[in-house]
Structure formats: C-alpha cells, structure tokens
Amino acid sequence: MNATPPQEPLDPRDRPARLTVGVVGAGRVGPALAASLALAGHRPVAVSGVSDASRRRAAALLPDVPLLPPAEVLDRAELVLLTVPDDALPGLVDGLVKAGSVRPGHLLAHTSGRFGARVLDPATRVGALPLALHPAMTFTGTAVDVQRLAGCSFGVTAPEELRLAAEALVIEMGGEPEWIEEEARPLYHAALALGANHLVTLVAQSMELLRTAGVSAPDRMLGPLLGAALDNALRSGDAALTGPVARGDAGTVAAHVAELRTHAPGAVAGYLAMARTTADRALAHGLLKPELAEDLLGVLAEGDPR
C-alpha cells in the first residue's frame, strides 16, 4: 500500500470553519461576540481583561475560559477579537506586533466603528489577516447582548480576498453584514453616533424635564411616543416630522425656550440646535411654510445666547 503523501498546510483562508477564539479587551462587546461565536460552534479559549468589571463580564459570558495576558491570548487563538476603545486600538496593534505576538495566518478582527482594516496594517505586514467587524448595536455587558445580535447589522471592512470570510463570521454571530469601504468608515461611524448616542442624551434629558414637570413615570409616558416616532422616522424619514417646529408655531417654541432657561438652562443650547436643524429639514421638504419659518427662525436666533 502506498503511503499517504504528506498534506500541504492549509491556507488560513481555507481553514476549517471551527476556530479557536480569543478576546483582547473584555469590555461590553468582546465577551458577547465570543459567546455568540461559541453558539455557532467556535471555541473561545482565552480572554484578557484588567478591571474587575471586565473580569466579571468574562466569567459570566465565557465561563471556564481562562483570563490571560494579551500575548497569551494570541498564542492560543486562531481568531482574535480586538475589542478595545477606538483610541486604544492603534497602540494595541503596534504593541502586539512589536512583542512578536502576531503570527502569520492570525485572523485579527477589531470591532471599532471608526477604523477599517487599515489600522491593522502593522499586523498585516507580518502575515495576519485583517478584519473590521463593527456591530451596530449598543451593549449592556450581559447575556441579553448575545440575543440582540440576531439580525444586528455589522459594518464590515476587509481586503477583498477576505470579504467572504468576514461576512461568514458575521452571519455565524446572527448578524447581517453591511460592506463599508475603508474611506467611508469615519462617516459611517459618525452617522451611528448621531442617531444612537445622541438619542440616549435626548431621552435622558426629556425624562428629567418630565420629572421636573411632575410626571411620576416619564419612561411609561415616553415609551409609546418615542417608539411611534422612531418607527415613523425609519419608515418615512423627514415626512414623519411633526411638532411645533415643523408646524412653524413660533410662540410655542418661544415658550419652550423660556421654560428651559428657568428649569434646565443646560438643555437650552441643545434644544435650539435641534430646533434649527428640524426647521431646516422641514423647510427643505415642504413641511414648514416659508411665511411661518421667518418668525420661527427669529425666535431661535433670539434664544441663542451667542
């Protein structure tokens, strides 16, 4: 019987689907993504975390997965999730490369919205395979995040030859891949921050003002209203605009500004900025009548302390 000839090593792009997974940065995102990959059959093998909170998250979402220094995480894993804050990512990549922790064939996937694959260039130059996989989702650091990944869009950026691999990983996590060109990443991330991060600020301010006005359950009052507004906006865009600014009710807006100056002066600047933007969009889409816009914009200009 002829001996079986030795097999050539697998190209990392053709490796079997099941991967050992490591997490560098056990914030709210990394453990949830690793847990979702585990549900798809991949094997989390190591996680790094410094704070007590990150260690607790890792223990809750990745039980029995050892907490190790970043270099040891890379030593054990084929796929490494780099889930650190945006500003820390370039330095982390440089440090791992200089320490000799990155090896040829390593799949390195970061979750920054701001950066594409190019931030991983130092690792790419030593043979790593760069992926940018950004989940367009807010995370709590609990098991509920794994459930929320179902149907979540991911902003995906990678070299063309790795595009299918990147998209396959997103699908395995239950997500929907959305291809983002490298140059468009900052704009893509700004759009998400404008919609999601600022929404939290607006809702929190609104609840505080309702409490000041004597509403005992502002969350209960706002829930149906904001849910309907969000649904209408997603369906109809600017056509969903309503309220005193879109109607051109200058007197009502003036009353709002006066009340805010008395009870919540810190909210005035934000109210005026959003009202001006709303007025501009309502005018552009024919919702605000030009003859009413003049008085409204006058009120907004008078209300601006500048």
Side-chain angles (χ1 to χ4, degrees):
M1 182 181 293
N2 293 330
T4 302
Q7 292 185 337
E8 291 292 325
L10 282 172
D11 186 300
R13 297 170 182 83
D14 300 324
R15 72 175 75 208
R18 303 310 91 185
L19 301 167
T20 52
V21 179
V23 178
V24 176
R28 296 182 179 185
V29 178
L33 297 189
S36 68
L37 287 168
L39 292 175
H42 299 285
R43 186 163 61 91
V45 292
V47 59
S48 72
V50 177
S51 70
D52 290 340
S54 65
R55 290 170 177 266
R56 286 194 299 270
R57 277 191 292 267
L61 290 172
L62 301 171
D64 303 322
V65 175
L67 278 159
L68 299 171
E72 294 186 43
V73 173
L74 269 73
D75 188 53
R76 294 189 178 204
E78 297 166 298
L79 167 63
V80 181
L81 304 176
L82 303 178
T83 54
V84 297
D86 290 359
D87 288 352
L89 182 60
L92 172 66
V93 175
D94 282 337
L96 291 173
V97 170
K98 289 175 181 176
S101 301
V102 181
R103 62 178 182 268
H106 249 147
L107 276 167
L108 295 186
H110 76 71
T111 58
S112 165
R114 169 188 169 191
F115 293 110
R118 206 168 290 154
V119 72
L120 299 172
D121 277 355
T124 304
R125 286 192 287 269
V126 297
L129 307 177
L131 310 174
L133 309 177
H134 175 250
M137 178 58 63
T138 59
F139 287 78
T140 64
T142 66
V144 72
D145 296 331
V146 180
Q147 301 169 17
R148 286 180 175 172
L149 288 174
C152 167
S153 291
F154 278 67
V156 176
T157 305
E160 187 60 36
E161 63 271 20
L162 293 175
R163 178 168 179 165
L164 289 179
E167 293 176 345
L169 283 171
V170 169
I171 291 169
E172 286 193 311
M173 287 186 280
E176 296 286 342
E178 184 72 39
W179 187 258
I180 309 294
E181 295 294 339
E182 182 81 31
E183 293 73 17
R185 293 290 290 206
L187 179 60
Y188 151 81
H189 195 224
L192 293 179
L194 186 66
N197 301 158
H198 296 174
L199 176 63
V200 173
T201 301
L202 290 171
V203 173
Q205 276 193 333
S206 181
M207 288 199 294
E208 287 177 358
L209 292 170
L210 286 171
R211 289 191 189 96
T212 302
V215 175
S216 59
D219 53 342
R220 188 171 64 224
M221 177 175 283
L222 284 174
L225 173 64
L226 298 185
L230 177 59
D231 184 64
N232 291 342
L234 292 175
R235 291 174 184 271
S236 305
D238 287 300
L241 282 172
T242 184
V245 172
R247 291 192 299 268
D249 291 340
T252 298
V253 172
H256 289 178
V257 174
E259 286 299 300
L260 291 175
R261 288 202 186 285
T262 300
H263 298 287
V268 172
Y271 180 96
L272 292 172
M274 290 303 299
R276 279 192 291 268
T277 300
T278 300
D280 289 343
R281 298 187 73 90
L283 264 173
H285 288 80
L287 301 172
L288 174 59
K289 296 177 181 179
E291 61 269 24
L292 298 177
E294 185 175 354
D295 286 345
L296 174 66
L297 294 174
V299 166
L300 295 176
E302 290 172 6
D304 192 335
R306 294 174 297 180

